[in-house]
Amino acid sequence: MSAGIAAVRKARTPQQRTRDDRLEKMLRALERAANNNAPCPSNEDLSHLMGYAGPSKASDLISMLEAMGFITVDRGFASRIVTIVKTGKKTAGTIGRRRQKGGWTEDRDAILMDGIAEGLTFAAMGKILHKSKNACISRFHALAASMGHQAA
């Protein structure tokens, strides 16, 4: 990362240089965990390392490193696995599948889409899935948007 950040440091303000130093420190901490096959440090641990009062700043730095392309993050409900892009090494751990908002699961999504394809109404699908008509309509539109032309 030092080479990547150093390349863009030329016309940086003092605040930007401070942020870059923090990003480098954060990346080194994540690299240490990945190299030692250790779990990704928690936001609380990273915030303590960085000298922050609260955990949200550490989360922000991880998001910035991810957006800059230095790491990828697989997020679970209570944990994450960070992959260092340059080396391909990952922090240890497993990601439990997140429960989808509103109780929608892949099975319920399939039932909804199959029912609509068979010509059932959203009201009928709501009764089958124990959801409201509007919940089924909203979920159908969300799925159709993510599927693109396949939903038609």
Side-chain angles (χ1 to χ4, degrees):
M1 174 155 159
S2 295
I5 287 185
V8 295
R9 278 195 175 202
K10 294 176 183 165
R12 305 299 254 170
T13 66
Q15 293 85 3
Q16 289 169 322
R17 286 193 295 271
T18 299
R19 187 205 61 202
D20 292 346
D21 290 342
R22 288 181 178 149
L23 287 168
E24 286 183 26
K25 187 174 183 179
M26 176 72 73
L27 183 60
R28 284 194 305 269
L30 296 172
E31 285 175 335
R32 270 192 306 276
N35 289 337
N36 294 325
N37 198 29
C40 182
S42 68
N43 287 343
E44 290 81 14
D45 291 340
L46 291 168
S47 290
H48 180 73
L49 171 74
M50 302 299 293
Y52 293 134
S56 65
K57 294 289 186 182
S59 179
D60 292 345
L61 286 179
I62 287 177
S63 295
M64 287 180 73
L65 287 170
E66 186 177 22
M68 295 169 78
F70 292 107
I71 63 173
T72 60
V73 182
D74 295 315
R75 291 174 175 85
F77 178 70
S79 64
R80 66 180 162 237
I81 296 175
V82 172
T83 303
I84 310 301
V85 171
K86 185 168 104 178
T87 64
K89 292 191 176 186
K90 296 181 179 195
T91 57
T94 58
I95 298 295
R97 200 171 133 206
R98 285 182 164 185
R99 185 170 178 218
Q100 294 181 3
K101 182 180 177 184
W104 288 100
T105 63
E106 290 178 14
D107 291 338
R108 284 184 169 200
D109 288 346
I111 292 168
L112 174 66
M113 297 305 279
D114 289 345
I116 298 302
E118 293 293 325
L120 294 174
T121 66
F122 288 110
M125 291 309 304
K127 287 180 183 176
I128 292 168
L129 295 169
H130 304 288
K131 299 279 186 183
S132 71
K133 171 185 159 186
N134 288 338
C136 291
I137 291 169
S138 294
R139 187 63 179 169
F140 173 80
H141 288 299
L143 291 170
S146 69
M147 295 171 66
H149 71 280
Q150 297 173 357

